[in-house]
Amino acid sequence: MTDPIRIGHIALSFHEASAWEVARILESHGHDVTFTSAPHEAAFAMLGRGEIDILASAWLPSSHEAYLAPMLHDVDKITVLYEPYCIWGVPDHVPESAVASVTDLLREPALSKMEPLIQGINPGAGISRFSAEIIKQYSLGAAGYVFRTGSEAECIDRYEAAVAEGRWVVVPLWHPQFLHHRYRIRALNEPKGLLGTRDDATLVVRKDARLRIGAATLKDLSQLYIGNPRLSELEDELRRRA
């Protein structure tokens, strides 16, 4: 019996949803699989140490290129699973005529109505790095806004509570993400371009695992494409089953 193929992913539920799609292909070729999750930097460190065989996935180039760079000679990029990008968003009940851009946060009615706390996820995430820079570059701190890192649950729960209560709130988010499958979230214009580019969510395999995975399996993995809307839906299904 061959050893299972070890799939790693960043410890966020949409990454888990994409890892299950990768597992489905591996299992169709007779492989057993295991799953390991960790925060952003730790997941890449596991890949670099050979503690996982596959990472689903690396967002390249904006969010994760620095994490993957030290191990490029040990891995192969197999396919692009979807095309993620980061946003600062507001609920659909916030009028676009009042808040269309990050710059609108600095004037009325946002100054009176928008909640000053912008709740993010863990500090290693691209959206967290980008958001901290937005606060700085737009001088939002001087207007009372605060970006705070935290857990995925803190970010999501705060947004869903704000929607339920009709409050004005900014959510630092990304596509794909299950909230987009449940709600209409309007992205704010961000004129300085601090939210990074549209990345390629790239499935990465260690070269020393290729033989165990097999050529036929790798060929099928190379043809896997999920796309942003479908992954948001898959993540929503995963969360509803939990």
Side-chain angles (χ1 to χ4, degrees):
M1 179 181 294
T2 59
D3 292 335
I5 305 302
R6 302 165 298 172
I7 303 173
H9 64 84
I10 293 167
L12 296 168
S13 55
F14 70 97
H15 283 296
E16 182 183 356
S18 68
W20 277 103
E21 291 299 286
V22 172
R24 181 177 55 80
I25 290 178
L26 289 163
E27 290 171 340
S28 74
H29 285 267
H31 288 292
D32 293 327
V33 302
T34 62
F35 295 93
T36 304
S37 65
H40 291 72
E41 301 99 322
F44 282 88
M46 289 191 303
L47 181 68
R49 293 192 299 263
E51 296 171 6
I52 55 176
D53 303 307
I54 295 176
L55 181 69
S57 56
W59 288 15
L60 306 174
S62 292
S63 293
H64 302 155
E65 188 168 53
Y67 301 150
L68 188 64
M71 63 198 76
L72 280 176
H73 58 287
D74 293 324
V75 301
D76 289 324
K77 300 171 185 176
I78 301 300
T79 189
V80 173
L81 299 174
Y82 53 96
E83 294 89 12
Y85 58 97
C86 294
I87 67 167
W88 268 23
V90 295
D92 197 42
H93 60 253
V94 176
E96 187 170 5
S97 58
V99 185
S101 170
V102 171
T103 57
D104 292 330
L105 298 175
L106 294 168
R107 47 183 170 258
E108 296 293 353
L111 283 173
S112 299
K113 300 192 68 172
M114 191 68 70
E115 297 195 355
L117 174 60
I118 299 171
Q119 178 63 59
I121 58 169
N122 70 72
I127 183 60
S128 296
R129 302 195 310 271
F130 303 153
S131 295
E133 193 64 19
I134 287 174
I135 294 288
K136 177 182 175 181
Q137 293 292 332
Y138 286 90
S139 300
L140 292 173
Y145 294 98
V146 177
F147 173 70
R148 182 176 70 189
T149 58
S151 68
E152 182 183 30
E154 287 173 319
C155 176
I156 290 166
D157 291 350
R158 180 176 176 80
Y159 180 78
E160 292 199 301
V163 171
E165 297 163 13
R167 293 185 278 111
W168 286 26
V169 66
V170 174
V171 61
L173 206 60
W174 56 90
H175 284 271
Q177 215 276 344
F178 83 97
L179 289 175
H180 298 292
H181 192 66
R182 296 186 185 182
Y183 307 99
R184 292 183 61 185
I185 302 173
R186 179 166 51 80
L188 299 181
N189 294 325
E190 193 280 284
K192 295 182 184 290
L194 301 177
L195 284 166
T197 62
R198 183 181 288 259
D199 278 338
D200 289 335
T202 305
L203 184 66
V204 180
V205 172
R206 283 190 60 90
K207 291 178 179 178
D208 56 18
R210 291 184 66 98
L211 186 60
R212 283 193 299 116
I213 295 171
T217 309
L218 287 167
K219 181 179 178 181
D220 281 357
L221 287 173
S222 73
Q223 297 170 354
L224 175 62
Y225 179 75
I226 303 171
N228 290 359
R230 177 58 178 158
L231 187 54
S232 295
E233 181 181 11
L234 288 170
E235 183 191 8
D236 195 23
E237 292 172 1
L238 180 67
R239 282 178 164 268
R240 292 183 189 279
R241 292 198 304 266

